[in-house]
Amino acid sequence: MKLKLYLFDTSKYTLEELYSLCEIPSNLELDKYVNEMIKKEIVVSYFLKHKYIKNYSLNEFNKPISKDCYFNISHSHGLVGLLISKNAEVGLDIEYIKGYKENLKKHIASEEEYSYINSNESFYEIWTNKESLLKCVGTGFVDLKIKDIPTLPLNGLKKYLNNNYYSKNFKYKNYIISVCLNCDTDFELQIIEN
């Protein structure tokens, strides 16, 4: 099984250059954002969905869905990713590696995960793995115990809510990226950069 992951570094472009990629609808309400990096991420997210997905809607948990493929989008500190699969539900999370607070580690990590976390990088490996699995499930953090969301092994098979999920987690520049697929076998990940 092959998945495509489109990665777009917004820092290479001005906001005006990104506006020229496609016609931006008024319902994106970019004026309400002060931070230019967030505006860039929103514009690129829209552009990637418009270019590669075209027809999509939102489910009851605001997860974008399409009749033509399975996809998920994530962005953090100027990097935007779009993950596409033809075969099964997917989840994607991208996080910029920065500091974290010990109380957050205690809040999200199971005992095994707590022992695993010994750096900023390992914290975000656990965090992105949880987030990508939940995005694959399609519910987000609604009414869930975050400690019960399995993450280990980071790269491999997990069982959650009576379904099998296969995850891959890797470092890309100064980001941690986690990809999750609703299946029980390994998959190939093709990364396409702008």
Side-chain angles (χ1 to χ4, degrees), residues 6-17:
Y6 296 91
L7 293 175
F8 196 111
D9 181 355
T10 65
S11 69
K12 297 176 183 178
Y13 303 91
T14 66
L15 189 55
E16 290 71 31
E17 289 172 323

Side-chain angles (χ1 to χ4, degrees), residues 77-117:
H77 283 74
L79 183 65
V80 180
L82 171 67
L83 179 66
I84 300 175
S85 168
K86 295 290 183 190
N87 304 78
E89 283 288 354
V90 294
L92 171 67
D93 193 42
I94 298 171
E95 293 293 338
Y96 182 76
I97 301 168
K98 56 188 178 295
Y100 68 92
K101 295 188 174 154
E102 187 65 24
N103 64 345
L104 184 56
K105 175 181 167 181
K106 288 177 185 175
H107 177 71
I108 70 152
S110 68
E111 238 178 81
E112 184 182 19
E113 293 164 348
Y114 192 87
S115 297
Y116 175 83
I117 298 171

